[in-house]
Amino acid sequence: MKKNVIIAVALMIIIALFGFDIYTNYKQLQCRNEIMTSDKIDEDTDNFLIGWFSDMYYGDNFNIDDVHKLVTKMNDYNPDMIIFTGDLLEKESLSSDEETAIIEELSSMKPKYGKFAVLGDNDLILRRAQTILSESGFEIIDNRNKVIAIDMNSKINLIGLGNMINGTVDINTAFYGINSEYFTIVASHCPDTYQDLKDYSFDLMLSGHSLGGKFRIPVISWLLANEGSKSFYHGKITDISKILDVTNGAGTPGSIYRFLADPEIVFYSLRMN
């Protein structure tokens, strides 16, 4: 009898902790640090730091205090370049004060080599997101590429892809004129675009959209995967030298629950081989 009571109490504690983790970790914004080495990184680009965030979903579960927390963490790291991979807002009904506050916060991030964004499916519906990004100093690069010149000879390619759900993905245009001798980063909201890039040269692809599966439970994560992240919804995938990294995202739309998929922003430090 005593043994059964102990087992029952232990199970109740485990269930309570499980529930507490599910309920609370949607607010536990983490900083994930990654190092990527490559022969394409030289002395001038060595230690180049990329700050990356995705899926902010400003709305009921992500307010201006959360934006401030994200921006503060980003500025503390002082990245050389910032990339946003889509879905800024959860709702269109922002007050003018909220919109101004978001722009002021995002504008306070001032990386030396610029801020760049690709649009998520929400951004294509909630058009105010595009205005906020532009007025905050982000350059939208859907189906375009940029050459980030560190100096005359040291450069990084940045390629943006359109959204495969409700936008247009034009891979040929996005990769046009790219010199594959330079380290190449692809930004795409939907990670499943990765499987269409087998014939293209790049080194690192950054994607969001899936919220890291939201619930990191075998089978359930796959069943809950969104269109655009059915094949790739969590973590890093490597195909030869091409790496896809799918972030958990910073915000949590709809229900507030997450499990083993904490919200995050990510920092990539590029290093010489």
Side-chain angles (χ1 to χ4, degrees):
M1 181 70 178
K2 185 176 180 181
K3 183 179 179 181
N4 290 338
V5 171
I6 293 172
I7 291 172
V9 171
L11 285 173
M12 289 175 63
I13 292 172
I14 290 170
I15 291 169
L17 290 173
F18 180 83
F20 182 78
D21 182 73
I22 289 176
Y23 184 77
T24 60
N25 73 2
Y26 83 102
K27 283 289 188 181
Q28 307 302 313
L29 184 66
Q30 307 293 319
C31 293
R32 172 158 62 94
N33 296 283
E34 300 285 348
I35 294 174
M36 183 155 184
T37 60
S38 172
D39 293 334
K40 298 178 183 179
I41 303 300
D42 60 18
E43 291 182 357
D44 293 311
T45 51
D46 191 37
N47 288 314
F48 189 91
L49 185 63
I50 298 163
W52 164 40
F53 70 109
S54 189
D55 303 285
M56 194 172 82
Y57 285 113
Y58 182 92
D60 293 336
N61 301 327
F62 200 94
N63 58 34
I64 195 61
D65 291 334
D66 298 311
V67 178
H68 179 73
K69 183 191 297 184
L70 184 154
V71 168
T72 299
K73 287 178 180 289
M74 191 70 76
N75 284 336
D76 284 346
Y77 273 75
N78 192 28
D80 296 295
M81 179 171 70
I82 293 175
I83 298 172
F84 174 65
T85 49
D87 280 351
L88 189 76
L89 306 178
E90 183 182 11
K91 62 181 183 179
E92 182 75 22
S93 55
L94 299 179
S95 69
S96 58
D97 288 344
E98 284 181 298
E99 185 168 328
T100 298
I102 296 170
I103 291 170
E104 287 179 353
E105 287 288 352
L106 296 181
S107 296
S108 72
M109 301 187 295
K110 300 181 184 298
K112 182 177 180 179
Y113 294 97
K115 299 183 292 192
F116 304 93
V118 291
L119 300 177
D121 38 300
N122 267 28
D123 302 323
L124 291 165
I125 297 170
L126 308 179
R127 309 285 294 196
R128 291 177 78 177
Q130 299 179 42
T131 300
I132 291 171
L133 285 169
S134 295
E135 292 189 8
S136 301
F138 281 83
E139 182 177 350
I140 297 172
I141 56 169
D142 285 32
N143 299 317
R144 295 173 46 215
N145 64 69
K146 299 286 295 185
V147 178
I148 311 299
I150 312 303
D151 65 15
M152 289 292 291
N153 299 312
S154 299
K155 297 178 174 64
I156 295 171
N157 295 321
L158 176 60
I159 297 170
L161 295 179
N163 193 296
M164 69 185 295
I165 296 173
N166 54 354
T168 301
V169 182
D170 189 341
I171 298 172
N172 288 333
T173 299
F175 276 81
Y176 181 77
I178 285 295
N179 184 343
S180 60
E181 292 183 2
Y182 300 135
F183 188 86
T184 300
I185 301 165
V186 175
S188 173
H189 180 66
C190 295
D192 282 358
T193 312
Y194 180 72
Q195 56 203 351
D196 298 323
L197 301 180
K198 292 177 181 171
D199 297 329
Y200 295 83
S201 177
F202 66 94
D203 301 285
L204 174 64
M205 178 170 166
L206 306 177
S207 292
H209 182 58
S210 69
L211 303 181
K214 201 170 183 181
F215 290 89
R216 293 295 301 137
I217 302 173
V219 181
I220 292 178
S221 293
W222 178 77
L223 289 172
L224 294 177
N226 300 325
E227 178 189 357
S229 58
K230 293 286 188 182
S231 298
F232 309 105
Y233 56 85
H234 181 265
K236 291 196 287 187
I237 296 94
T238 303
D239 179 8
I240 310 176
S241 61
K242 300 174 182 177
I243 293 178
L244 166 65
D245 193 337
V246 185
T247 179
N248 295 343
T252 305
S255 70
I256 60 177
Y257 304 111
R258 283 178 178 258
F259 182 66
L260 299 180
D262 289 357
E264 64 179 7
I265 55 178
V266 186
F267 296 92
Y268 262 93
S269 181
L270 306 184
R271 303 282 179 84
M272 294 173 61
N273 242 344

